Amino acid sequence: QVHLAESGGGSAMAGGSLKLSCVATGFSYTMNRIRTSCLAWFRQVEGRERERVAVICVGGNGGNYGDSVKGRFTISQDTATKSVFLDMASLNSEDTAMYCCAAGWVENSRLRTGHIDAGDFTHWGQGTRVAVSS
């Protein structure tokens, strides 16, 4: 059983930075011809659809980022502690949301196309709130 626990949310001023962390207890770093285990960050604002922020997978160099955060956010992982991080910079009010960590066994075909969404992930954390004020 995979359990995800986020931390690091809070308040920031526009233009500032925050770092989120997530520990994925029970997560296995595996891959085969069809699927690869991945960790991700999603965010959601009440009344809107959940938005993919960033995804990182086994062997994870770089990451798959949502268009709204490219160049500002960086996802990374520490396989020894089964942790995934999100470094957020140049924050703006549009980044205000509940940020959730997710774990999934994602089809390699979807990784190749970059068309990854919440449906690719089976385990979710409770979330940590980020509020950016101008």
Side-chain angles (χ1 to χ4, degrees), residues 2-4 22 24-28 36-42 56 84 100-106 118 120-125:
V2 178
H3 177 71
L4 301 163
C22 172
T25 307
F27 181 72
S28 295
T36 299
S37 53
C38 300
L39 294 169
W41 288 97
F42 285 79
I56 192 165
V84 61
C100 291
C101 179
W105 186 228
V106 183
D120 293 300
F121 295 85
T122 52
H123 296 84
W124 295 85

mmCIF file of all heavy atoms in Angstrom, residues 2-4 22 24-28 36-42 56 84 100-106 118 120-125:
data_model
loop_
_atom_site.group_PDB
_atom_site.id
_atom_site.type_symbol
_atom_site.label_atom_id
_atom_site.label_comp_id
_atom_site.label_asym_id
_atom_site.label_seq_id
_atom_site.Cartn_x
_atom_site.Cartn_y
_atom_site.Cartn_z
ATOM 1 N N VAL A 2 0.568 2.170 -0.891
ATOM 2 C CA VAL A 2 1.341 3.404 -1.007
ATOM 3 C C VAL A 2 0.652 4.495 -0.206
ATOM 4 O O VAL A 2 -0.555 4.701 -0.326
ATOM 5 C CB VAL A 2 1.460 3.829 -2.481
ATOM 6 C CG1 VAL A 2 2.219 5.151 -2.592
ATOM 7 C CG2 VAL A 2 2.167 2.743 -3.291
ATOM 8 N N HIS A 3 1.420 5.169 0.598
ATOM 9 C CA HIS A 3 0.906 6.304 1.362
ATOM 10 C C HIS A 3 1.752 7.524 1.043
ATOM 11 O O HIS A 3 2.972 7.463 1.090
ATOM 12 C CB HIS A 3 0.968 6.009 2.866
ATOM 13 C CG HIS A 3 0.533 7.157 3.711
ATOM 14 N ND1 HIS A 3 -0.780 7.576 3.789
ATOM 15 C CD2 HIS A 3 1.243 8.009 4.491
ATOM 16 C CE1 HIS A 3 -0.859 8.620 4.590
ATOM 17 N NE2 HIS A 3 0.347 8.900 5.027
ATOM 18 N N LEU A 4 1.082 8.624 0.732
ATOM 19 C CA LEU A 4 1.762 9.849 0.330
ATOM 20 C C LEU A 4 1.486 10.949 1.348
ATOM 21 O O LEU A 4 0.332 11.181 1.723
ATOM 22 C CB LEU A 4 1.272 10.287 -1.048
ATOM 23 C CG LEU A 4 1.494 9.258 -2.168
ATOM 24 C CD1 LEU A 4 0.627 9.576 -3.360
ATOM 25 C CD2 LEU A 4 2.951 9.229 -2.574
ATOM 26 N N CYS A 22 7.210 15.524 -0.587
ATOM 27 C CA CYS A 22 6.246 14.431 -0.439
ATOM 28 C C CYS A 22 7.033 13.145 -0.210
ATOM 29 O O CYS A 22 7.942 12.830 -0.991
ATOM 30 C CB CYS A 22 5.384 14.318 -1.693
ATOM 31 S SG CYS A 22 4.300 12.873 -1.726
ATOM 32 N N ALA A 24 6.732 9.135 -0.221
ATOM 33 C CA ALA A 24 5.874 8.095 -0.807
ATOM 34 C C ALA A 24 6.194 6.749 -0.159
ATOM 35 O O ALA A 24 6.882 5.905 -0.744
ATOM 36 C CB ALA A 24 6.064 8.040 -2.309
ATOM 37 N N THR A 25 5.654 6.513 0.994
ATOM 38 C CA THR A 25 5.886 5.259 1.703
ATOM 39 C C THR A 25 5.242 4.106 0.945
ATOM 40 O O THR A 25 4.094 4.206 0.505
ATOM 41 C CB THR A 25 5.286 5.339 3.120
ATOM 42 O OG1 THR A 25 5.794 6.501 3.779
ATOM 43 C CG2 THR A 25 5.633 4.099 3.930
ATOM 44 N N GLY A 26 6.002 3.019 0.764
ATOM 45 C CA GLY A 26 5.469 1.858 0.061
ATOM 46 C C GLY A 26 5.576 1.936 -1.449
ATOM 47 O O GLY A 26 5.191 0.991 -2.150
ATOM 48 N N PHE A 27 6.100 3.009 -1.968
ATOM 49 C CA PHE A 27 6.230 3.180 -3.425
ATOM 50 C C PHE A 27 7.397 2.360 -3.948
ATOM 51 O O PHE A 27 8.441 2.287 -3.314
ATOM 52 C CB PHE A 27 6.444 4.665 -3.733
ATOM 53 C CG PHE A 27 6.561 4.990 -5.186
ATOM 54 C CD1 PHE A 27 5.452 4.930 -6.013
ATOM 55 C CD2 PHE A 27 7.780 5.355 -5.744
ATOM 56 C CE1 PHE A 27 5.549 5.245 -7.362
ATOM 57 C CE2 PHE A 27 7.882 5.667 -7.082
ATOM 58 C CZ PHE A 27 6.768 5.616 -7.894
ATOM 59 N N SER A 28 7.226 1.737 -5.113
ATOM 60 C CA SER A 28 8.288 0.930 -5.719
ATOM 61 C C SER A 28 8.742 1.568 -7.018
ATOM 62 O O SER A 28 7.921 1.896 -7.870
ATOM 63 C CB SER A 28 7.771 -0.478 -6.016
ATOM 64 O OG SER A 28 7.446 -1.160 -4.831
ATOM 65 N N THR A 36 5.803 2.381 -16.324
ATOM 66 C CA THR A 36 6.876 2.901 -15.489
ATOM 67 C C THR A 36 6.244 3.550 -14.264
ATOM 68 O O THR A 36 5.227 4.245 -14.382
ATOM 69 C CB THR A 36 7.701 3.959 -16.248
ATOM 70 O OG1 THR A 36 8.287 3.352 -17.396
ATOM 71 C CG2 THR A 36 8.794 4.534 -15.362
ATOM 72 N N SER A 37 6.847 3.332 -13.108
ATOM 73 C CA SER A 37 6.298 3.968 -11.908
ATOM 74 C C SER A 37 6.742 5.429 -11.858
ATOM 75 O O SER A 37 7.896 5.754 -12.125
ATOM 76 C CB SER A 37 6.723 3.227 -10.647
ATOM 77 O OG SER A 37 8.113 3.066 -10.585
ATOM 78 N N CYS A 38 5.800 6.301 -11.542
ATOM 79 C CA CYS A 38 6.027 7.745 -11.564
ATOM 80 C C CYS A 38 5.432 8.400 -10.321
ATOM 81 O O CYS A 38 4.453 7.909 -9.748
ATOM 82 C CB CYS A 38 5.353 8.378 -12.778
ATOM 83 S SG CYS A 38 5.931 7.767 -14.371
ATOM 84 N N LEU A 39 6.009 9.521 -9.972
ATOM 85 C CA LEU A 39 5.460 10.394 -8.947
ATOM 86 C C LEU A 39 5.145 11.736 -9.593
ATOM 87 O O LEU A 39 5.795 12.121 -10.573
ATOM 88 C CB LEU A 39 6.472 10.584 -7.806
ATOM 89 C CG LEU A 39 6.779 9.339 -6.981
ATOM 90 C CD1 LEU A 39 7.976 9.578 -6.074
ATOM 91 C CD2 LEU A 39 5.568 8.918 -6.164
ATOM 92 N N ALA A 40 4.183 12.427 -9.063
ATOM 93 C CA ALA A 40 3.750 13.663 -9.701
ATOM 94 C C ALA A 40 3.186 14.647 -8.684
ATOM 95 O O ALA A 40 2.820 14.276 -7.565
ATOM 96 C CB ALA A 40 2.684 13.352 -10.750
ATOM 97 N N TRP A 41 3.119 15.875 -9.120
ATOM 98 C CA TRP A 41 2.405 16.919 -8.398
ATOM 99 C C TRP A 41 1.258 17.418 -9.260
ATOM 100 O O TRP A 41 1.437 17.705 -10.433
ATOM 101 C CB TRP A 41 3.329 18.093 -8.074
ATOM 102 C CG TRP A 41 4.338 17.792 -7.016
ATOM 103 C CD1 TRP A 41 5.637 17.415 -7.207
ATOM 104 C CD2 TRP A 41 4.135 17.857 -5.601
ATOM 105 N NE1 TRP A 41 6.247 17.223 -5.993
ATOM 106 C CE2 TRP A 41 5.355 17.489 -4.985
ATOM 107 C CE3 TRP A 41 3.054 18.175 -4.792
ATOM 108 C CZ2 TRP A 41 5.505 17.444 -3.607
ATOM 109 C CZ3 TRP A 41 3.199 18.138 -3.425
ATOM 110 C CH2 TRP A 41 4.417 17.777 -2.839
ATOM 111 N N PHE A 42 0.093 17.501 -8.649
ATOM 112 C CA PHE A 42 -1.073 18.101 -9.269
ATOM 113 C C PHE A 42 -1.538 19.236 -8.364
ATOM 114 O O PHE A 42 -1.197 19.290 -7.181
ATOM 115 C CB PHE A 42 -2.201 17.076 -9.420
ATOM 116 C CG PHE A 42 -1.976 16.092 -10.528
ATOM 117 C CD1 PHE A 42 -1.125 15.005 -10.362
ATOM 118 C CD2 PHE A 42 -2.622 16.238 -11.745
ATOM 119 C CE1 PHE A 42 -0.903 14.098 -11.390
ATOM 120 C CE2 PHE A 42 -2.423 15.329 -12.779
ATOM 121 C CZ PHE A 42 -1.558 14.259 -12.598
ATOM 122 N N ILE A 56 7.577 12.998 -12.583
ATOM 123 C CA ILE A 56 8.920 12.442 -12.676
ATOM 124 C C ILE A 56 8.822 10.939 -12.480
ATOM 125 O O ILE A 56 8.040 10.465 -11.661
ATOM 126 C CB ILE A 56 9.872 13.106 -11.649
ATOM 127 C CG1 ILE A 56 11.326 12.743 -11.932
ATOM 128 C CG2 ILE A 56 9.475 12.751 -10.216
ATOM 129 C CD1 ILE A 56 12.320 13.641 -11.186
ATOM 130 N N VAL A 84 9.652 13.030 -3.272
ATOM 131 C CA VAL A 84 9.587 13.871 -4.462
ATOM 132 C C VAL A 84 9.404 15.311 -4.002
ATOM 133 O O VAL A 84 8.728 15.565 -3.006
ATOM 134 C CB VAL A 84 8.454 13.424 -5.412
ATOM 135 C CG1 VAL A 84 7.093 13.514 -4.754
ATOM 136 C CG2 VAL A 84 8.487 14.202 -6.718
ATOM 137 N N CYS A 100 -1.254 18.457 -4.541
ATOM 138 C CA CYS A 100 -1.293 17.060 -4.123
ATOM 139 C C CYS A 100 -0.206 16.263 -4.815
ATOM 140 O O CYS A 100 0.057 16.452 -6.009
ATOM 141 C CB CYS A 100 -2.642 16.432 -4.459
ATOM 142 S SG CYS A 100 -4.003 17.064 -3.481
ATOM 143 N N CYS A 101 0.369 15.369 -4.052
ATOM 144 C CA CYS A 101 1.348 14.422 -4.565
ATOM 145 C C CYS A 101 0.597 13.168 -5.018
ATOM 146 O O CYS A 101 -0.400 12.781 -4.383
ATOM 147 C CB CYS A 101 2.325 14.110 -3.431
ATOM 148 S SG CYS A 101 3.609 12.944 -3.804
ATOM 149 N N ALA A 102 1.072 12.551 -6.083
ATOM 150 C CA ALA A 102 0.412 11.359 -6.613
ATOM 151 C C ALA A 102 1.448 10.331 -7.051
ATOM 152 O O ALA A 102 2.558 10.686 -7.457
ATOM 153 C CB ALA A 102 -0.489 11.723 -7.787
ATOM 154 N N ALA A 103 1.052 9.063 -6.991
ATOM 155 C CA ALA A 103 1.911 7.969 -7.441
ATOM 156 C C ALA A 103 1.124 7.102 -8.408
ATOM 157 O O ALA A 103 -0.072 6.865 -8.205
ATOM 158 C CB ALA A 103 2.393 7.147 -6.254
ATOM 159 N N GLY A 104 1.791 6.623 -9.446
ATOM 160 C CA GLY A 104 1.082 5.801 -10.412
ATOM 161 C C GLY A 104 2.006 4.935 -11.223
ATOM 162 O O GLY A 104 3.229 5.105 -11.228
ATOM 163 N N TRP A 105 1.406 4.003 -11.920
ATOM 164 C CA TRP A 105 2.080 3.036 -12.794
ATOM 165 C C TRP A 105 1.626 3.396 -14.215
ATOM 166 O O TRP A 105 0.622 2.937 -14.701
ATOM 167 C CB TRP A 105 1.625 1.663 -12.335
ATOM 168 C CG TRP A 105 2.191 0.405 -12.885
ATOM 169 C CD1 TRP A 105 1.466 -0.668 -13.330
ATOM 170 C CD2 TRP A 105 3.555 0.021 -13.028
ATOM 171 N NE1 TRP A 105 2.296 -1.676 -13.736
ATOM 172 C CE2 TRP A 105 3.585 -1.275 -13.562
ATOM 173 C CE3 TRP A 105 4.764 0.657 -12.752
ATOM 174 C CZ2 TRP A 105 4.776 -1.949 -13.817
ATOM 175 C CZ3 TRP A 105 5.942 -0.022 -13.020
ATOM 176 C CH2 TRP A 105 5.941 -1.299 -13.542
ATOM 177 N N VAL A 106 2.403 4.280 -14.863
ATOM 178 C CA VAL A 106 1.965 4.980 -16.069
ATOM 179 C C VAL A 106 2.409 4.253 -17.329
ATOM 180 O O VAL A 106 3.548 3.794 -17.427
ATOM 181 C CB VAL A 106 2.516 6.419 -16.077
ATOM 182 C CG1 VAL A 106 1.999 7.194 -17.290
ATOM 183 C CG2 VAL A 106 2.130 7.145 -14.790
ATOM 184 N N ALA A 118 -4.527 13.072 -14.429
ATOM 185 C CA ALA A 118 -4.786 12.513 -13.103
ATOM 186 C C ALA A 118 -5.219 11.051 -13.160
ATOM 187 O O ALA A 118 -4.977 10.283 -12.224
ATOM 188 C CB ALA A 118 -5.844 13.351 -12.395
ATOM 189 N N ASP A 120 -3.963 8.720 -14.690
ATOM 190 C CA ASP A 120 -2.813 7.822 -14.744
ATOM 191 C C ASP A 120 -2.283 7.474 -13.358
ATOM 192 O O ASP A 120 -1.387 6.649 -13.223
ATOM 193 C CB ASP A 120 -1.686 8.461 -15.560
ATOM 194 C CG ASP A 120 -2.046 8.600 -17.037
ATOM 195 O OD1 ASP A 120 -2.309 7.569 -17.677
ATOM 196 O OD2 ASP A 120 -2.065 9.752 -17.522
ATOM 197 N N PHE A 121 -2.814 8.107 -12.332
ATOM 198 C CA PHE A 121 -2.295 7.942 -10.980
ATOM 199 C C PHE A 121 -3.342 7.328 -10.061
ATOM 200 O O PHE A 121 -4.515 7.691 -10.113
ATOM 201 C CB PHE A 121 -1.798 9.293 -10.434
ATOM 202 C CG PHE A 121 -0.637 9.807 -11.221
ATOM 203 C CD1 PHE A 121 -0.844 10.536 -12.379
ATOM 204 C CD2 PHE A 121 0.659 9.521 -10.841
ATOM 205 C CE1 PHE A 121 0.226 10.980 -13.143
ATOM 206 C CE2 PHE A 121 1.729 9.964 -11.591
ATOM 207 C CZ PHE A 121 1.511 10.690 -12.747
ATOM 208 N N THR A 122 -2.879 6.392 -9.229
ATOM 209 C CA THR A 122 -3.808 5.621 -8.406
ATOM 210 C C THR A 122 -3.747 5.961 -6.925
ATOM 211 O O THR A 122 -4.639 5.586 -6.177
ATOM 212 C CB THR A 122 -3.509 4.122 -8.569
ATOM 213 O OG1 THR A 122 -2.110 3.896 -8.318
ATOM 214 C CG2 THR A 122 -3.843 3.649 -9.978
ATOM 215 N N HIS A 123 -2.699 6.632 -6.515
ATOM 216 C CA HIS A 123 -2.547 6.954 -5.102
ATOM 217 C C HIS A 123 -2.323 8.456 -4.953
ATOM 218 O O HIS A 123 -1.548 9.055 -5.706
ATOM 219 C CB HIS A 123 -1.371 6.189 -4.485
ATOM 220 C CG HIS A 123 -1.564 4.709 -4.478
ATOM 221 N ND1 HIS A 123 -1.272 3.910 -5.557
ATOM 222 C CD2 HIS A 123 -2.064 3.882 -3.520
ATOM 223 C CE1 HIS A 123 -1.553 2.656 -5.265
ATOM 224 N NE2 HIS A 123 -2.043 2.614 -4.041
ATOM 225 N N TRP A 124 -2.986 9.027 -3.947
ATOM 226 C CA TRP A 124 -2.968 10.471 -3.754
ATOM 227 C C TRP A 124 -2.734 10.827 -2.291
ATOM 228 O O TRP A 124 -3.218 10.146 -1.388
ATOM 229 C CB TRP A 124 -4.298 11.076 -4.200
ATOM 230 C CG TRP A 124 -4.527 10.920 -5.672
ATOM 231 C CD1 TRP A 124 -5.055 9.829 -6.304
ATOM 232 C CD2 TRP A 124 -4.206 11.878 -6.689
ATOM 233 N NE1 TRP A 124 -5.082 10.054 -7.666
ATOM 234 C CE2 TRP A 124 -4.572 11.303 -7.920
ATOM 235 C CE3 TRP A 124 -3.662 13.151 -6.672
ATOM 236 C CZ2 TRP A 124 -4.401 11.963 -9.132
ATOM 237 C CZ3 TRP A 124 -3.496 13.815 -7.869
ATOM 238 C CH2 TRP A 124 -3.859 13.228 -9.087
ATOM 239 N N GLY A 125 -2.006 11.919 -2.087
ATOM 240 C CA GLY A 125 -1.872 12.472 -0.759
ATOM 241 C C GLY A 125 -3.046 13.380 -0.429
ATOM 242 O O GLY A 125 -3.903 13.641 -1.279
#
